[in-house]
């Protein structure tokens, strides 16, 4: 079946602009995660959605970052007033949510802030 | 706070030369330990989940094992196509579901 998809694959933006990154999870997966992978650093957790529950936002680095998940499926990560330190690969993952904990990752969006 | 340390950072092997990658972890109650493979420019690809000490999982030339403090990824007779970064991650048994990742081992298998 189809895996996790993300768009765009690459995004170049100017400092101070807002960007939106999109994630389509695997059909039927109730859990969705956003992570960030910076050059030379490991994957860093950002936010987690599980069904209709309130999201776990504990990993968001600042209030410039927000995310929503519409209809329990597609998710959008928004970064406002982008800074150069926001440059990274943003990865989305989904998981069945109950009884199975492995997370399946999309290809990522490479964000470059100039 | 959950911590994951992987070693070595980089490993170069000749084709057919078996070796092991190490993942040491500290977690307040382990729900699962996960191994992923990541190729350049791609997202991590799920390999294994281990849930309890003593558990082993195998897939082709890879075998993952788990103790109470660490996990090993054994690579038997590797081929050049096994070259990738191998990531280890833990999920603790609390309500949070996110994974805490190590920094990875970059494996290069030379023909």
């Amino acid at each position: 079946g189809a895996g996790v998809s993300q768009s765009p694959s690459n995004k170049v933006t100017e400092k101070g602009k807002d960007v939106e990154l999109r994630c389509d999870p695997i059909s039927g997966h109730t859990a969705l995660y956003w992570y960030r992978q910076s050059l030379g650093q490991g994957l860093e957790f950002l936010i987690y959605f599980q069904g209709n529950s309130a999201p776990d936002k504990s990993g968001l680095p600042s209030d410039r970052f927000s995310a929503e998940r519409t209809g329990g499926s597609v998710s959008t990560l928004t970064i406002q007033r982008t800074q150069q330190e926001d440059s990274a690969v943003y990865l989305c993952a989904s998981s069945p949510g109950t009884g199975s904990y492995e997370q399946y990752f999309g290809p990522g969006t490479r964000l470059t802030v100039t | 706070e959950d911590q994951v340390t992987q070693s070595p950072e980089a490993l170069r092997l000749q084709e057919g030369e078996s070796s092991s990658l190490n993942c040491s972890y500290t977690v307040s109650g382990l729900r699962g330990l996960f191994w992923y493979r990541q190729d350049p420019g791609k997202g991590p690809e799920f390999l294994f989940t281990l849930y309890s000490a003593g558990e082993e999982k195998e897939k082709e030339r890879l075998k993952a094992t788990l103790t109470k403090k660490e996990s090993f990824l054994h690579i038997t007779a590797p081929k050049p196509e096994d070259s990738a970064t191998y990531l280890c991650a833990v999920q603790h048994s609390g309500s949070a579901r996110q994974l805490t990742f190590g920094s990875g081992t970059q494996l290069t298998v030379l023909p």
Side-chain angles (χ1 to χ4, degrees):
Chain A
V4 177
S5 61
Q6 293 186 244
S7 60
S9 55
N10 283 284
K11 176 72 176 179
V12 180
T13 190
E14 293 180 351
K15 178 182 172 182
K17 301 281 189 180
D18 298 352
V19 295
E20 286 188 351
L21 312 180
R22 177 187 168 103
C23 172
D24 279 277
I26 293 172
S27 177
H29 281 194
T30 59
L32 186 148
Y33 305 78
W34 285 98
Y35 294 85
R36 177 169 72 175
Q37 188 171 33
S38 304
L39 191 61
Q41 297 190 14
L43 278 87
E44 173 191 14
F45 165 73
L46 297 176
I47 189 169
Y48 157 59
F49 296 88
Q50 171 61 59
N52 295 320
S53 302
D56 176 352
K57 305 179 182 180
S58 60
L60 294 178
S62 77
D63 58 8
R64 296 185 297 104
F65 288 73
S66 63
E68 63 177 19
R69 189 178 185 193
T70 54
S73 182
V74 171
S75 177
T76 302
L77 177 70
T78 301
I79 309 173
Q80 295 179 311
R81 305 181 301 281
T82 52
Q83 305 294 313
Q84 288 188 330
E85 60 263 29
D86 299 334
S87 295
V89 176
Y90 289 82
L91 291 159
C92 175
S94 70
S95 173
T98 54
S100 178
Y101 302 108
E102 48 265 21
Q103 298 177 18
Y104 297 89
F105 284 81
T109 293
R110 180 174 297 278
L111 175 66
T112 304
V113 182
T114 61
Chain B
E1 182 179 335
D2 301 344
Q3 288 193 326
V4 180
T5 303
Q6 292 189 245
S7 62
E9 291 185 7
L11 180 64
R12 290 166 68 91
L13 300 174
Q14 290 295 135
E15 184 172 2
E17 180 186 1
S18 301
S19 189
S20 296
L21 313 183
N22 177 262
C23 171
S24 298
Y25 64 91
T26 304
V27 63
S28 55
L30 180 71
R31 169 174 281 112
L33 184 140
F34 303 82
W35 282 97
Y36 287 85
R37 168 191 171 128
Q38 187 172 28
D39 293 296
K42 297 190 176 181
E45 174 191 348
F46 170 73
L47 293 174
F48 302 110
T49 309
L50 301 167
Y51 292 105
S52 57
E55 189 175 1
E56 299 183 352
K57 294 260 179 90
E58 285 190 67
K59 179 180 180 180
E60 296 180 354
R61 295 176 293 282
L62 300 176
K63 183 168 105 172
T65 62
L66 181 65
T67 73
K68 288 186 178 180
K69 293 185 178 181
E70 56 192 351
S71 177
F72 293 93
L73 185 65
H74 307 277
I75 304 176
T76 301
K79 298 181 177 181
E81 54 261 42
D82 295 323
S83 297
T85 296
Y86 290 85
L87 298 167
C88 170
V90 297
Q91 185 181 60
H92 73 236
S93 56
S95 58
R97 294 288 185 265
Q98 66 266 28
L99 300 179
T100 299
F101 281 85
S103 54
T105 293
Q106 186 174 5
L107 174 66
T108 303
V109 182
L110 303 171

